């Protein structure tokens, strides 16, 4: 747990930036572990999560396109894709324009697992908010647009 000591000045200082970054990272990891555990799903390696996320955001990508987007070697992404296909989370579909090429898509199972994790997150966040004072819960809700900006950091 972090002790929050946000500066009172109108300027953001380095300690604030460091604390925000650490808190965001901690939040991401906590949500991931909580969602998987509460949904009863097996833990998924980070590399697989990143490939699934990328394919969700860019359905129909090739392995090379996913690798380029993530800044990884195609051979590594290919190995990860193979594992996800074997577990029924991704599928390869022949490219209608080039039958030698395959496009990646999440399966219905991956979509279901993602919905289950989202539902667990909503339940968990609701429970935490209900345990807060109404004023603190309102402050957190007011910060949603600002927190959403953290998700707009450039990928590359």
């Amino acid at each position: 747990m972090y002790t929050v000591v946000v500066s009172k000045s109108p300027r953001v200082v380095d300690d604030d930036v460091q604390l925000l970054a650490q808190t965001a990272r901690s939040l991401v990891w906590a949500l991931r572990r909580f969602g998987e555990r509460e949904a009863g799903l097996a833990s998924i390696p980070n590399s697989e999560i990143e490939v699934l996320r990328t394919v969700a955001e860019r359905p129909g990508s090739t392995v090379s396109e996913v690798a380029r987007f993530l800044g990884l070697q195609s051979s590594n992404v290919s190995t990860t894709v193979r594992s996800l296909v074997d577990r029924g989370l991704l599928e390869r579909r022949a490219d209608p324009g080039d039958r030698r090429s395959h496009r990646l898509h999440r399966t219905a199972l991956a979509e279901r697992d993602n919905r289950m994790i989202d539902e667990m997150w909503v339940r968990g966040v609701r429970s935490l908010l209900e345990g807060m004072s109404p004023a603190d819960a309102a402050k957190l809700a007011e910060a949603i647009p600002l927190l959403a900006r953290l998700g707009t950091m450039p990928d590359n």
Side-chain angles (χ1 to χ4, degrees):
M1 196 58 148
Y2 299 103
T3 303
V4 178
V5 184
V6 177
S7 74
K8 300 293 183 199
S9 73
R11 293 182 40 232
V12 175
V13 297
D14 287 343
D15 287 347
D16 295 335
V17 174
Q18 183 174 357
L19 183 59
L20 180 57
Q22 289 171 340
T23 303
R25 183 175 188 209
S26 180
L27 175 62
V28 167
W29 284 100
L31 284 171
R32 177 178 169 230
R33 287 189 308 269
F34 175 83
E36 289 174 351
R37 183 182 65 245
E38 293 298 310
L41 301 173
S43 185
I44 301 172
N46 288 334
S47 59
E48 293 182 4
I49 288 174
E50 286 305 306
V51 169
L52 283 169
R53 181 182 63 82
T54 300
V55 172
E57 293 172 356
R58 296 166 177 75
S61 295
T62 64
V63 168
S64 296
E65 290 168 344
V66 171
R68 194 170 27 259
F69 177 76
L70 293 174
L72 300 172
Q73 296 293 320
S74 287
S75 59
N76 294 340
V77 172
S78 185
T79 300
T80 301
V81 166
R82 194 173 315 113
S83 173
L84 290 166
V85 168
D86 290 347
R87 292 205 333 269
L89 297 171
L90 276 185
E91 65 183 2
R92 290 183 178 103
R93 297 181 193 161
D95 184 334
D98 179 0
R99 299 305 251 177
R100 297 169 296 163
S101 180
H102 290 89
R103 301 283 171 175
L104 302 173
H105 297 272
R106 290 195 314 175
T107 64
L109 176 60
E111 298 288 340
R112 187 207 69 178
D113 288 355
N114 191 63
R115 280 191 306 277
M116 287 172 55
I117 290 171
D118 284 349
E119 289 169 11
M120 294 304 111
W121 286 354
V122 168
R123 287 182 195 162
V125 170
R126 180 178 290 119
S127 176
L128 288 172
L129 288 172
E130 289 170 352
M132 292 179 177
S133 71
D136 283 349
K139 285 180 198 173
L140 194 52
E142 288 171 11
I144 292 168
L146 300 174
L147 292 170
R149 286 190 195 172
L150 291 176
T152 65
M153 286 190 283
D155 291 316
N156 288 336

